[in-house]
Amino acid sequence: MSKKTCAFLLATLILGARQLPGQKFRTDDPIHADDDRLDTPQEPAHIRLSDAYDRFGHIFHDFGRSAIGSEAVNVNTLDEVPNSTWFTNRHSIKRMSVEELQRGPNRSAGPHPNETWTVFKGKSQGLTPGFEVRDGKGDRYVIKLDPVDIPELSSAAEVIATKIFYAIGYHVPENYIVRYHPDRFEIEPGTQVEDQFGDQSPLTRWRFRRMIRRVPRLSDGSMRLTASKYIPGIPIGPFRYHETRSDDPNDIFPHEDRRELRGLRLIAAWTNHDDTRAHNTQDTWVNENGKGYIQHYLLDFGSTFGSGSVDMQLPNLSFQYWLDLEQVKKNMVGFGFVVPPYRHVKWPEFPEYQAVGRWEGTYFDPEGWRNDYPNPAFVRMTPRDAFWAAKLIMSFTPEELQAIVETGEYSRPEWSQYFLKVLIERQQKCGRFGINGVNPLDELRVTETGLEFTNLSEKYGFVDDRTSYRVSWSIYNNAADTVEAIGEAATQKETRLSLPTGVLTTGEENLFLGVDIRSLHDDHPEWNKPVRVYLRRRGQSYQVVGIDRES
Amino acid sequence: MMRQITSSLSPGIAVFIVSLVSSSAPSPAAQAQATADPGASAEQETGRKTRAETLQEMREEKSRELSPESVSRWEARIRGWEETQFPRNWLVKGWNGFRPVFGGMPSGSGFVLGAGYIHGLAAQYFQAQANARFSTRGYTMLDGEAVFPPPQVGRRVELKFRAQYRDLTSLQFYGLGNDSSVESQSFYQLEDTLFGGYAWLNPRGLLSFAAEGGFLRAETSSGSEQPSVGDEFPAVEIPGFDAPRTDYSVVGGWVEFDVRDKWEDPQVGLVARITGLRYDDTVVNAFDFTRVVADVKGYVPLGPKSRILALRLRTSHSTADIGDAVPFYLMETLGGAKSIRGFNEFRFQDTRNLLVNVEYRWEVWTFADFAFFFDAGKVFADEEDFDFKDMHTGYGFGIRGHAPGDVTLRFDFAHSTEGFKLHISGGPSF
């Protein structure tokens, strides 16, 4: 048995251990942070993945080891994702202010447009050049340009997506929209530029001007560009959406079974981030106070919303995989009468809305949405994973989303308005899909009057308020993993339950109050699966310590 | 199995795993046994650990077994190809511009392979190339051209100069007229040299104009395969055969109206081109003629663009000056991968022709489509025969793969009164 398998077995049930006699709850449950910063003193290997191998490998083979339908393994006893080097709960736990949402990951004002930027690396592949600069403070940035004939398309998408993914909890780079005059650029001596064939040649000032001559100029002669700051630490290559790194002691949960990577599927669907693959991630080895560890980032949000980074998003992508074998089979025998779904879509008017790109919400289907090619974590997303993601998606109010969209700095208000309208449409669809997929009870809290909960589907208006609840109390023995019913089950409309009195006394640390709550709604028979809530006695009160939610 | 799994782990973690994978609700008897079991104390000990402690322990366990992260041998190899941009760099850029070339000869030449040199692939203003090609039928072609600006740069004017020498040693000839017999297949050799060029104003615009001109030298003789044209047909019936080497000055131009949605694999729209060319025989003064060609291609989506009806109507009329003739080797032909696919290449030949192609294409993948097609065409000498009577027809099924840059690989399986044909070719059918 390989070490990876051992690690896998260890990891499989640890955080969300459900079946361990006497072990279901530990004294520190529920944990809200998983300190995965065990010292990694040696710099890990720098890996480089093959684009073709990754693409075709995932199309024809599932690299994930766990069974499709199995649940995520890195959740805590509340079925939530603890903070880690992969994910930090932000907006959904502690609401960020509008200013914080707009600032996102940015820790400064970005490279100053009045300073000289020194180009130290360049590429001239295709019509959209790219280069890297060092600003006046010595910070390094990757400079990205919009498609030459569609100003604002990818820069707005990149920045808006960065803010959303950051607020949700992913680790992302600092991305800035900057207006910079091309005459201010300096070329560092010895800088090479790579052409479309990979050949290097010296980057001269004349050549650099030729590279950027097609980039649209604003009225003051400056160019609008995106400056993406180098992320902290030493880059060691991307993370895969499957397995674990063999040289990272902290990486004990198979990536395809991480909740934040599975749930990313629904968030990617919302933002149309079809390019969610290993190549658009980055691991860095961070050395902090003499202690090393690996931090995990999502990168490159240029292919989000209606943008395809170097052009508008292709119409077929996000409705089917790049090579969607199932769709190909249907098309082959369909003689043209099986119409691929994307062919029905009505896009916004072009060229009027080119800056927004192929971005729409009417035909969007969260369940049918596809990223570029199969992703082992995405194909394993269960209703519980989707529920988790949907809660995060729905945590943004329209006003907050509007504030985030403003950071895209569209030059025409109708573009921002249209963008926001679609973003909200898609948010609602994703929320409905994820929240209605399971018994949607959440926000469980013990108050002075009892145990209160929220029906998220009703809260967000996905159903009417005709839900009633079938409640049955029990005592859970954490040492013996046994359940003893208390009284009869009762049905009620209220979302507040009175706690049974006199059942548990202080000092019985292995006994927990348990309550099964089934939601009864004519339109959603699947909500009849119970949410079981565990309450631990804390002095004179109780603490919600665990939630079992059936998919 | 479990012993194997846990053999390398610390006792506490091992007990933890055993507990995880054991039954979830132990019976009272099992619980009693567990109490008596010496391992139970270890289990209880594990149970008292906090979640954080257990996770820490797992990580420490893994830290003792670390190995360098790597990619598989295959992935590393493919990554290496990607970094060298193999085979793209070999085929497109080559070695310092020297590269292999494929195709580029007339249909029916067989497999064509050659070598060439290209300059200016990354240039903004100018691209030039020179190639030598050889085919499995024994054909030779040497060519060179210069384009201003290069194809990757969209401009309002395109200038192209071309020089080529061809030695096509066994071209097929079945006789003139619409009733020629497949049994009359014969061969001839055509050796020609061309220097020419064009200036195209507003290429790929809605309405574009071009002027072209050049010099053509042509000579025919018996081919390398038998029977030769001279064996099958009286030389006097075949204008231009066995004539001395002939030089032509060629001038003309075209007008094009283009409302296609895109130039590569269009799905809706229409493109119509009318071409006029004047050939003046400057040596024997026997083959002066004028050619007018009308070519209309339409693409009609049948509902969504995933299925389209592609239509083409093409007609060519070559009119010799009084007392002159159109040489047979400059007559256009029907048959083959780009006209009536159920017939051989060059199957029908005369001074005028009419061709109709209908294709029902449907999308199978972004980069591939299938098609049913129907072709009909005729050749004729008298303009009074310019009608849709006596058309030769064929039909079939096609599979097409598309790559960026208007690269198409096409497999067409066709049938006609002369049997089944398979055409494997590059480029769109129309």
Side-chain angles (χ1 to χ4, degrees):
Chain A
M1 186 65 66
S2 71
K3 290 170 185 173
K4 275 186 180 174
T5 310
C6 289
F8 170 77
L9 282 169
L10 278 168
T12 297
L13 293 169
I14 185 67
L15 273 188
R18 293 284 186 269
Q19 306 297 330
L20 183 62
Q23 305 299 325
K24 186 174 182 71
F25 296 108
R26 307 297 180 83
T27 54
D28 56 343
D29 281 329
I31 60 168
H32 295 291
D34 175 16
D35 184 11
D36 56 349
R37 291 175 172 81
L38 183 69
D39 188 20
T40 311
Q42 286 197 323
E43 183 178 329
H46 186 157
I47 61 162
R48 306 181 74 180
L49 303 183
S50 156
D51 188 27
Y53 184 90
D54 199 60
R55 179 177 297 274
F56 288 100
H58 285 103
I59 288 171
F60 293 103
H61 179 68
D62 179 11
F63 288 99
R65 296 189 176 197
S66 60
I68 302 288
S70 61
E71 294 295 348
V73 298
N74 69 319
V75 291
N76 63 16
T77 51
L78 294 176
D79 212 26
E80 299 289 344
V81 177
N83 295 343
S84 70
T85 55
W86 293 80
F87 188 85
T88 302
N89 290 284
R90 295 191 178 104
H91 187 55
S92 63
I93 297 297
K94 184 176 180 297
R95 295 203 70 77
M96 297 165 70
S97 66
V98 164
E99 291 72 26
E100 287 170 327
L101 288 168
Q102 289 190 318
R103 190 186 317 128
N106 298 351
R107 292 293 163 264
S108 70
H112 200 286
N114 292 333
E115 290 176 346
T116 297
W117 298 1
T118 308
V119 180
F120 64 92
K121 192 174 179 183
K123 72 174 178 65
S124 63
Q125 299 170 13
L127 293 175
T128 306
F131 45 93
E132 296 178 22
V133 303
R134 194 175 287 109
D135 74 352
K137 295 185 285 294
D139 291 331
R140 292 177 298 173
Y141 294 86
V142 177
I143 302 299
K144 303 177 184 181
L145 299 165
D146 287 309
V148 291
D149 50 350
I150 317 180
E152 307 182 21
L153 175 74
S154 59
S155 54
E158 177 109 31
V159 167
I160 295 170
T162 300
K163 305 294 165 59
I164 289 177
F165 280 84
Y166 177 80
I168 284 174
Y170 295 96
H171 302 139
V172 297
E174 300 179 31
N175 288 324
Y176 302 88
I177 291 175
V178 189
R179 287 158 188 81
Y180 193 73
H181 201 286
D183 291 346
R184 289 187 175 277
F185 284 111
E186 292 288 342
I187 313 293
E188 187 169 277
T191 300
Q192 300 282 303
V193 61
E194 186 180 292
D195 69 17
Q196 58 187 313
F197 299 103
D199 291 341
Q200 303 258 339
S201 55
L203 180 63
T204 60
R205 174 167 286 280
W206 177 79
R207 188 163 195 166
F208 181 71
R209 282 188 175 155
R210 275 185 57 192
M211 268 172 59
I212 60 171
R213 77 186 193 289
R214 292 167 61 91
V215 178
R217 302 294 196 267
L218 302 172
S219 56
D220 61 355
S222 64
M223 308 185 308
R224 172 183 162 127
L225 39 82
T226 311
S228 185
K229 192 175 182 182
Y230 269 42
I231 53 181
I234 297 172
I236 56 171
F239 66 77
R240 298 181 180 98
Y241 282 85
H242 62 278
E243 297 190 348
T244 58
R245 271 190 81 108
S246 59
D247 56 359
D248 180 6
N250 294 299
D251 194 10
I252 57 174
F253 300 114
H255 301 172
E256 69 271 29
D257 295 326
R258 298 193 72 98
R259 164 67 58 81
E260 64 272 33
L261 296 187
R262 289 175 166 206
L264 177 61
R265 184 199 177 283
L266 193 62
I267 298 161
W270 175 35
T271 53
N272 203 26
H273 186 10
D274 73 303
D275 218 6
T276 31
R277 57 198 183 112
H279 284 75
N280 288 324
T281 68
Q282 183 66 265
D283 281 349
T284 62
W285 183 59
V286 180
N287 203 317
E288 216 171 61
N289 304 323
K291 203 173 132 182
Y293 62 90
I294 295 176
Q295 182 92 1
H296 314 274
Y297 288 86
L298 300 182
L299 296 183
D300 286 342
F301 298 105
S303 186
T304 50
F305 310 113
S307 168
S309 213
V310 296
D311 202 339
M312 287 193 290
Q313 182 59 278
L314 292 171
N316 56 321
L317 294 182
S318 79
F319 285 89
Q320 60 188 46
Y321 291 128
W322 175 77
L323 173 54
D324 198 314
L325 298 176
E326 288 305 313
Q327 189 66 46
V328 167
K329 281 183 214 165
K330 286 182 199 168
N331 294 345
M332 286 171 83
V333 299
F335 299 100
F337 292 95
V338 174
V339 180
Y342 78 90
R343 288 289 187 182
H344 296 293
V345 178
K346 288 187 175 58
W347 300 105
E349 291 296 318
F350 301 133
E352 290 86 345
Y353 283 85
Q354 274 199 151
V356 179
R358 289 200 174 90
W359 176 233
E360 69 82 41
T362 308
Y363 297 85
F364 166 63
D365 168 24
E367 193 172 8
W369 182 88
R370 293 288 181 273
N371 58 311
D372 197 357
Y373 52 85
N375 175 319
F378 286 14
V379 299
R380 283 173 172 73
M381 185 182 78
T382 64
R384 271 170 56 191
D385 300 323
F387 183 74
W388 172 84
K391 286 191 294 179
L392 298 177
I393 291 168
M394 293 306 298
S395 67
F396 295 92
T397 65
E399 294 73 26
E400 289 167 344
L401 290 177
Q402 183 180 0
I404 289 176
V405 170
E406 283 170 9
T407 64
E409 300 183 33
Y410 283 116
S411 57
R412 287 169 57 175
E414 61 266 35
W415 293 346
S416 301
Q417 287 158 12
Y418 174 78
F419 187 106
L420 178 64
K421 175 179 149 294
V422 174
L423 190 63
I424 292 172
E425 273 176 32
R426 292 173 73 111
Q427 180 197 33
Q428 294 294 312
K429 284 190 171 185
C430 288
R432 184 184 296 270
F433 166 75
I435 285 171
N436 281 1
V438 295
N439 186 349
L441 306 186
D442 203 65
E443 299 176 2
L444 292 129
R445 64 272 180 196
V446 177
T447 65
E448 289 179 356
T449 55
L451 175 66
E452 294 185 22
F453 59 88
T454 304
N455 182 325
L456 292 187
S457 191
E458 287 186 359
K459 173 181 176 180
Y460 294 119
F462 300 146
V463 292
D464 52 39
D465 61 355
R466 287 185 290 116
T467 315
S468 55
Y469 307 96
R470 184 85 176 154
V471 179
S472 52
W473 287 93
S474 58
I475 293 176
Y476 175 71
N477 186 327
N478 192 39
D481 190 36
T482 56
V483 178
E484 183 187 338
I486 309 171
E488 296 294 316
T491 302
Q492 63 177 67
K493 279 288 291 176
E494 298 76 32
T495 55
R496 188 190 63 77
L497 309 177
S498 299
L499 298 173
T501 53
V503 178
L504 298 183
T505 56
T506 308
E508 292 173 316
E509 61 180 27
N510 278 324
L511 297 184
F512 293 69
L513 267 182
V515 56
D516 285 2
I517 314 172
R518 299 170 190 270
S519 297
L520 309 177
H521 194 285
D522 293 342
D523 299 338
H524 293 281
E526 69 275 17
W527 292 358
N528 200 24
K529 292 177 180 175
V531 169
R532 175 173 289 181
V533 185
Y534 298 90
L535 305 171
R536 174 162 38 204
R537 187 159 187 108
R538 289 284 190 215
Q540 294 305 308
S541 184
Y542 285 91
Q543 171 202 15
V544 176
V545 72
I547 297 173
D548 281 350
R549 196 186 298 279
E550 283 186 44
S551 274
Chain B
M1 176 67 82
M2 191 53 64
R3 216 179 291 271
Q4 288 176 336
I5 295 171
T6 56
S7 61
S8 63
L9 303 173
S10 68
I13 295 289
V15 169
F16 190 81
I17 300 169
V18 173
S19 305
L20 284 173
V21 296
S22 62
S23 66
S24 60
S27 65
Q31 288 185 53
Q33 190 180 357
T35 310
D37 189 337
S41 59
E43 182 179 313
Q44 285 165 3
E45 184 188 333
T46 304
R48 280 196 293 273
K49 283 179 182 154
T50 64
R51 188 78 62 193
E53 286 168 347
T54 307
L55 289 167
Q56 178 79 358
E57 203 164 77
M58 290 166 62
R59 292 188 164 110
E60 285 169 358
E61 190 75 49
K62 186 179 177 186
S63 71
R64 290 191 280 275
E65 303 171 342
L66 297 181
S67 58
E69 178 72 357
S70 61
V71 298
S72 71
R73 196 159 45 104
W74 267 108
E75 182 162 11
R77 189 171 296 168
I78 295 171
R79 169 81 199 180
W81 293 341
E82 287 170 354
E83 285 179 350
T84 57
Q85 299 201 39
F86 173 84
R88 178 170 171 263
N89 268 11
W90 282 37
L91 298 177
V92 179
K93 189 192 73 169
W95 182 76
N96 285 339
F98 292 96
R99 60 179 188 170
V101 288
F102 300 90
M105 282 194 187
S107 297
S109 299
F111 179 71
V112 179
L113 178 64
Y117 172 78
I118 189 163
H119 171 80
L121 269 173
Q124 305 278 346
Y125 303 110
F126 162 69
Q127 187 180 95
Q129 57 177 303
N131 306 293
R133 307 167 205 254
F134 307 93
S135 87
T136 51
R137 283 184 75 90
Y139 297 176
T140 303
M141 180 168 158
L142 306 173
D143 63 281
E145 68 176 35
V147 188
F148 305 84
Q152 66 267 25
V153 179
R155 292 288 169 83
R156 305 294 286 180
V157 180
E158 180 179 297
L159 296 175
K160 187 172 189 174
F161 300 97
R162 181 171 177 81
Q164 81 179 21
Y165 162 79
R166 301 187 301 177
D167 183 8
L168 311 175
T169 55
S170 56
L171 291 169
Q172 292 144 285
F173 182 70
Y174 295 85
L176 300 180
N178 206 36
D179 300 324
S180 63
S181 166
V182 70
E183 307 297 329
S184 304
Q185 185 186 40
S186 59
F187 300 91
Y188 68 101
Q189 179 175 9
L190 172 66
E191 194 175 353
D192 65 10
T193 306
L194 169 74
F195 295 97
Y198 64 73
W200 192 0
L201 185 64
N202 197 25
R204 297 190 166 184
L206 180 70
L207 192 62
S208 64
F209 306 89
E212 63 179 316
F215 166 82
L216 173 67
R217 169 170 291 176
E219 187 171 14
T220 60
S221 59
S222 297
S224 60
E225 288 185 58
Q226 295 299 323
S228 80
V229 170
D231 297 334
E232 284 288 317
F233 303 95
V236 293
E237 292 181 9
I238 312 301
F241 185 69
D242 268 356
R245 188 182 70 202
T246 311
D247 292 346
Y248 300 90
S249 65
V250 186
V251 292
W254 70 81
V255 180
E256 185 174 277
F257 175 70
D258 189 349
V259 286
R260 289 174 293 177
D261 60 338
K262 52 187 181 174
W263 305 301
E264 300 169 6
D265 190 24
Q267 291 165 329
V268 60
L270 178 140
V271 57
R273 178 187 281 202
I274 295 176
T275 306
L277 286 171
R278 171 69 188 172
Y279 287 78
D280 280 316
D281 168 7
T282 59
V283 178
V284 291
N285 286 319
F287 302 117
D288 293 346
F289 67 97
T290 303
R291 172 175 294 159
V292 177
V293 181
D295 194 356
V296 181
K297 303 169 194 173
Y299 307 91
V300 184
L302 301 174
K305 289 181 185 174
S306 56
R307 52 174 189 256
I308 63 163
L309 193 64
L311 305 157
R312 181 192 201 188
L313 178 67
R314 186 183 194 279
T315 185
S316 170
H317 299 260
S318 299
T319 308
D321 290 359
I322 295 171
D324 284 2
V326 179
F328 82 105
Y329 53 83
L330 289 179
M331 291 178 189
E332 293 194 341
T333 64
L334 292 185
K338 285 196 172 250
S339 58
I340 316 174
R341 284 160 278 194
F343 292 91
N344 290 338
E345 301 285 346
F346 313 108
R347 178 63 186 80
F348 301 104
Q349 186 166 347
D350 214 319
T351 53
R352 300 167 193 268
N353 63 48
L354 174 63
L355 173 68
V356 176
N357 299 110
V358 180
E359 288 195 1
Y360 171 70
R361 300 172 181 169
W362 75 94
E363 173 186 311
V364 167
W365 180 36
T366 315
F367 303 105
D369 51 49
F370 285 179
F372 289 126
F373 56 80
F374 172 80
D375 306 321
K378 68 188 281 190
V379 298
F380 49 99
D382 190 338
E383 62 185 300
E384 290 182 357
D385 292 328
F386 184 31
D387 54 33
F388 291 96
K389 297 173 186 168
D390 303 322
M391 304 278 274
H392 297 285
T393 59
Y395 58 89
F397 170 73
I399 299 173
R400 295 87 194 276
H402 307 283
D406 208 9
V407 178
T408 301
L409 181 61
R410 190 156 54 92
F411 299 86
D412 283 336
F413 308 88
H415 181 263
S416 73
T417 53
E418 295 184 1
F420 285 96
K421 307 288 174 200
L422 167 63
H423 300 282
I424 302 173
S425 50
S429 51
F430 60 90

